[in-house]
Amino acid sequence: MHRIAIDCRFAGTSSGLGRYARELVSALLQQSVPVEYVLLVLPEAKNWIATLPVSKNWSAVEISSRHYSLSEHWVIPHMLRKHSIERLFSPHCTAPLFCPVPFVVTVHDLILHAFPNAAPLWKRLGYRVLMRHAVRDAATVITISGFVAGEIAQAYGSATLQRTQVITEGVSEIFRKRNEEEQMRIRKRFGIEGPFFLYVGNAKEHKNVPMLLEAFARLPASSPRLVLVTGGREAEHLSLPPRVVRLDGVDDNDLACLYSAAACFVTASSYEGFCLPLAEALTCGCPAIAPNRGPMPEVSQGQAHLIELTTEALTAALLSPPSPPSAFDRPLWESCAEQTSRVLMNALNGKKL
């Protein structure tokens, strides 16, 4: 039986890359294909591994080499040879520089090209080297939106489009419209009274959370409050105006309740690869405001209020929130897995797509 390794080192993290790895791999293991998957994991992924279906079509191998480390460039090739791996799938944008087998990568965005977020020069240079290697040497490059595919072609040449396939992310079934009782429970738990606007995401430079806060501060005191579901170093240094609540460490079930209870989801992000919170919010029936740029139009399917990215436009949109979505088509992880499985099978057969 063919053996494909999947680099699951992000699966134990709470990042967007971690969610992508967990959801996609869990769905891939449900596919009926003549392949044995070998999952390369870090020790902290044990809890996730325990949730995977018991089957003979996969096994897990624990490795100690962290992502973005120098050691990954010889540790992973050694593991691939040791376990007779034929192909490698990396659900993020890195692959060993001296990979002994053909590989497939997912490029989620080119964020560090435009927003280094105070990363030191050596890290930015390393990122550029690894990204160039991934895009130019991969058998197939998977991207999560047509916008990212265009970004890759612009940065690395239009010829890359011949080896690029757009496979959108999915939205977990846990995200659905919740009833009044569940909404009241979450309000009580977090002490949220009355209507509220909701932001979900980190507070890095490109998210423009300070702009969102400035726009909110211009609203009348009678307007809904603002709830920020965000964490990290940048979030801790935000200067919050009155009637703003910051929540950290919210699990998916509670997040679905917050989406369902919110008067509106809002983001001021100037760069996204996909914007999963926007898709989650719309899936939960939450009205949404987002900038009219990047992947927002394709992700929102015409169901969000898309605006120019200015403080004035944000304030105006918050003063007149949009209606709930009427016909949002939930993107499915099962569909993502089916398409990814075909890419991996093609890679086994020596095809580029």
Side-chain angles (χ1 to χ4, degrees), residues 211-212 215 266-268 289 307 309-318:
M211 177 188 289
L212 174 58
V266 58
T267 176
I289 298 169
I307 62 172
L309 185 54
T310 65
T311 304
E312 293 73 21
L314 277 167
T315 300
L318 291 171

Side-chain angles (χ1 to χ4, degrees), residues 35-46:
V35 168
E36 177 186 351
Y37 291 109
V38 178
L39 311 184
L40 306 181
V41 299
L42 294 173
E44 52 263 38
K46 288 181 178 178

Side-chain angles (χ1 to χ4, degrees), residues 193-197 216 219-227 243 263-264 318 321:
E193 297 181 358
F196 65 94
F197 301 122
F216 175 78
L219 299 179
S222 58
S223 301
R225 69 177 58 194
L226 174 62
V227 175
R243 300 185 299 114
C264 186
L318 291 171

Side-chain angles (χ1 to χ4, degrees), residues 199-204 209 227-232 234-236 238 245-250:
Y199 168 78
V200 178
N202 63 51
K204 292 184 181 297
V209 177
V227 175
L228 305 177
V229 178
T230 187
E234 295 86 358
E236 293 171 357
L238 290 173
V245 177
R246 185 172 78 88
L247 306 177
D248 195 4
V250 178

Side-chain angles (χ1 to χ4, degrees), residues 3 14 29 33 84 96 102 133 150 176 315 343 353:
R3 308 191 90 196
S14 59
L29 298 185
V33 291
S84 302
H133 165 60
R176 62 185 186 278
T315 300
V343 168
L353 282 176

